[in-house]
Amino acid sequence: MHNHARQQIRRHSGHWQERLAAARRVGIVGVPPLEMIRFLNDRNMALLDLDAMLVKADLETASQLIPRVYCAILRTVVVNALHLDLDAIVVDVGPGKCDAAFHVAAILEESLEIPVIRAENRDNDNFGTPIARGRMPLLEKLLRITEGVKRVSPDPEPPLACEPTAGFWGVPPRDFSILELFPDTTHVYGWSRCMENKTPAAHELEAHVNTTVPTVFFAQSFCAKTALARYLAARHPRALYLDVDVHTTGSAKAKIEAFLELSGVAR
Amino acid sequence: MILGDFGTSYCKFLDTEHPGAEPEIVATKALTADLHVDLATGHNGKRFASRYVNELIALARGGEALIGEDSFLLLDCGSRDIKFVHYENGILKDMGWNAECGASMGFTIELLERYYDLDFRTLAVPTQTFSVTCGVLGMSHIFDAVISGIPVAEAVARFVKGIAINAYRFARSPKKIYLSGGLCDNPLFVASLPCEVIPLGRFVLLEGLTRSTVREGEDGGET
């Protein structure tokens, strides 16, 4: 831990630049505004995506701060925040994330001895979505998209574009193993596409679907976006609505496998 | 070729080398570790087979083979779970598999019949029902009802009706259900479903496996 740096940071309660100026390792939650990412990149700060599984600690350790029955991604955020050696955390609490993140940010701010900066990302410059629409294993696509949050530029080597044979709509799941079941020609929709486009609050883009391809509408249990997932799935002619919590169960995987095969989607 | 549908309580086997032969039913607890089949389905099947077809696919293929319609809803009520496939104009419209919240319904019904020494063929569909979403949790309704003076047979019948209505709602409340699974043989359960019901019996998944082998042959062995 960088005690000196931490003390310096805590002394600042002013503008976010001042509060982050001495940080070296910064956790990010959701998609912070590009202005912040640029600031952190320019100072060569290490960015850690707290939405991803970064530590092996039991998810139950989050229960000391937030309910056990809660969004598994935000529980993961809390576990990461408790176990990683961080100098600061930046949380998007605007329309590009969710109310739950707002409350988690407040709880972390009270509980940790590091600055927790609440930002509202309303960026609306479109960076494009070539990964979402390219040919590549779906798991790798989501990894690239989530990694892209740490950069201010588009992916330097996006995959070649392809016609979609299937769709995956939703947020990046906590358990990426679900993504292994899809063909490489699966297009990504929903908030994951918004992430790549660097417009997490673009609700119109989030609600965009392709009605010509069988689409799995993925819902992370207890996430507010489950309502949108179910709503869109009900109106899509070839949809599977799937609600998954911490881990993907065997029956959830079997549903995807059956849905794709019975819809005539070749792997 | 030996096909096997490995259920939680019962396994069903078919030898395709003997056309017209009836499938064999074996209690799952009687299986031996050295058993091996060529193609399997069912949650317990991977351990015993060279190749495996997941249950929803087997159910859908079985429905395609047995139901001569482009649009149908096929609901399978097993010992452990409930699942359905819904086709419209030959295209998969909807599907569902409830292995957790709808758990152990068939298992619990059979257990209750034995425990209370009931015969479901003689029980009438009750006018009232319990709100049941899970076999295990639903049993507490029975015990509470019996304590309050309701006859055991009536209480169990309400439970069975509750399970049937839960399964019906899980399948999105259709007008007509093609029913698969061991509960096809339970007249109380079948009559408790609040829609037209056409029981197809407990070998629909085996039929699906048979159809899968035919499709493999047509596709040159590719699955």
Side-chain angles (χ1 to χ4, degrees):
Chain A
M1 173 58 221
H2 322 282
N3 280 329
H4 178 65
R6 189 168 286 171
Q7 284 164 7
Q8 273 193 310
I9 295 164
R10 292 203 74 202
R11 279 205 296 274
H12 295 290
S13 57
H15 201 270
W16 63 265
Q17 284 101 331
E18 294 174 20
R19 299 177 72 196
L20 288 172
R24 289 291 170 267
R25 284 162 58 87
V26 177
I28 57 174
V29 179
V31 184
L34 279 175
E35 183 189 12
M36 282 188 163
I37 298 295
R38 187 174 293 112
F39 176 90
L40 299 170
N41 284 170
D42 287 349
R43 285 154 184 80
N44 293 318
M45 295 181 192
L47 303 189
L48 292 94
D49 180 1
L50 303 189
D51 290 310
M53 286 191 282
L54 301 180
V55 298
K56 289 183 176 174
D58 192 335
L59 202 56
E60 285 300 308
T61 57
S63 303
Q64 59 185 287
L65 294 182
I66 59 173
R68 187 172 282 117
V69 180
Y70 211 66
C71 167
I73 290 175
L74 287 172
R75 292 175 75 200
T76 303
V77 166
V78 171
V79 171
N80 285 329
L82 289 174
H83 292 88
L84 290 169
D85 187 17
L86 300 170
D87 299 319
I89 297 174
V90 178
V91 186
D92 179 15
V93 297
K97 188 65 175 173
C98 57
D99 285 350
F102 179 89
H103 298 305
V104 166
I107 291 165
L108 290 177
E109 192 166 20
E110 286 287 319
S111 309
L112 303 177
E113 294 185 352
I114 56 174
V116 176
I117 292 152
R118 283 178 260 182
E120 288 202 16
N121 187 346
R122 294 179 185 272
D123 292 340
N124 57 14
D125 288 336
N126 298 314
F127 277 65
T129 57
I131 299 173
R133 295 177 292 115
R135 179 190 291 270
M136 175 186 277
L138 185 59
L139 193 151
E140 194 179 331
K141 275 183 196 172
L142 267 293
L143 281 173
R144 287 249 209 132
I145 288 172
T146 50
E147 276 296 304
V149 171
K150 302 175 192 171
R151 285 194 317 267
V152 293
S153 56
D155 192 283
E157 291 182 62
L160 293 174
C162 71
E163 286 297 313
T165 60
F168 173 88
W169 184 100
V171 300
R174 181 183 184 274
D175 179 2
F176 269 35
S177 69
I178 194 173
L179 306 171
E180 294 169 346
L181 304 166
F182 291 79
D184 294 357
T185 45
T186 301
H187 278 193
V188 175
Y189 303 91
W191 194 69
S192 299
R193 183 177 281 215
C194 297
M195 284 181 82
E196 184 186 5
N197 197 45
K198 299 196 184 299
T199 55
H203 292 155
E204 199 170 316
L205 179 62
E206 184 174 12
H208 168 71
V209 297
N210 182 342
T211 55
T212 66
V213 291
T215 302
V216 172
F217 288 82
F218 170 79
Q220 187 73 52
S221 299
F222 313 113
C223 170
K225 294 182 189 296
T226 55
L228 184 59
R230 211 181 77 159
Y231 177 80
L232 293 174
R235 278 148 189 78
H236 193 286
R238 303 171 80 187
L240 174 67
Y241 170 73
L242 197 70
D243 185 308
V244 174
D245 192 6
V246 177
H247 300 294
T248 311
T249 62
S251 66
K253 287 183 178 176
K255 270 191 269 194
I256 293 173
E257 184 184 40
F259 172 71
L260 293 175
E261 178 166 338
L262 298 172
S263 298
V265 177
R267 281 210 70 196
Chain B
M1 180 181 286
I2 306 292
L3 311 179
D5 170 12
F6 292 81
T8 303
S9 298
Y10 298 99
C11 298
K12 286 75 75 177
F13 299 101
L14 180 68
D15 185 351
T16 60
E17 304 297 316
H18 297 91
E22 283 292 306
E24 185 181 350
I25 301 174
V26 177
T28 300
K29 63 185 179 185
L31 295 183
T32 56
D34 60 344
L35 176 73
H36 189 82
V37 302
D38 300 295
L39 185 62
T41 188
H43 88 277
N44 202 19
K46 284 181 182 167
R47 290 194 295 140
F48 297 102
S50 310
R51 288 178 301 139
Y52 180 81
V53 174
N54 100 36
E55 293 166 67
L56 275 167
I57 294 173
L59 179 68
R61 299 290 182 226
E64 289 170 8
L66 296 169
I67 303 168
E69 300 167 24
D70 279 345
S71 302
F72 64 85
L73 188 140
L74 173 58
L75 172 68
D76 181 81
C77 293
S79 182
R80 171 176 171 259
D81 55 27
I82 49 179
K83 47 190 170 288
F84 76 90
V85 289
H86 178 194
Y87 277 80
E88 213 169 79
N89 300 318
I91 293 172
L92 180 69
K93 171 75 177 168
D94 198 4
M95 63 192 298
W97 187 351
N98 193 344
E100 284 84 30
C101 292
S104 303
M105 290 184 167
F107 180 82
T108 311
I109 287 175
E110 186 173 331
L111 186 148
L112 288 167
E113 185 179 30
R114 288 183 188 165
Y115 181 74
Y116 286 118
D117 195 21
L118 300 170
D119 182 350
F120 285 128
R121 290 171 301 182
T122 65
L123 298 185
V125 177
T127 53
Q128 294 187 48
T129 181
F130 296 146
S131 176
V132 179
T133 54
C134 161
V136 177
L137 295 177
M139 278 207 290
S140 63
H141 288 290
I142 296 175
F143 301 140
D144 288 345
V146 171
I147 290 168
S148 72
I150 294 172
V152 165
E154 167 70 15
V156 172
R158 288 184 188 181
F159 171 85
V160 172
K161 184 176 179 182
I163 281 183
I165 289 173
N166 183 57
Y168 166 76
R169 287 178 180 153
F170 177 69
R172 321 280 195 249
S173 306
K175 290 180 180 168
K176 179 178 172 183
I177 286 176
Y178 285 92
L179 185 64
S180 157
L183 284 172
C184 285
D185 298 331
N186 184 323
L188 175 62
F189 178 83
V190 173
S192 293
L193 287 164
C195 65
E196 183 186 354
V197 182
I198 300 175
L200 296 178
R202 61 203 311 179
F203 303 127
V204 176
L205 273 68
L206 274 185
E207 195 66 46
L209 289 183
T210 305
R211 190 170 175 94
S212 293
T213 62
V214 173
R215 290 174 64 96
E216 282 176 29
E218 289 170 350
D219 295 343
E222 295 295 320
T223 57

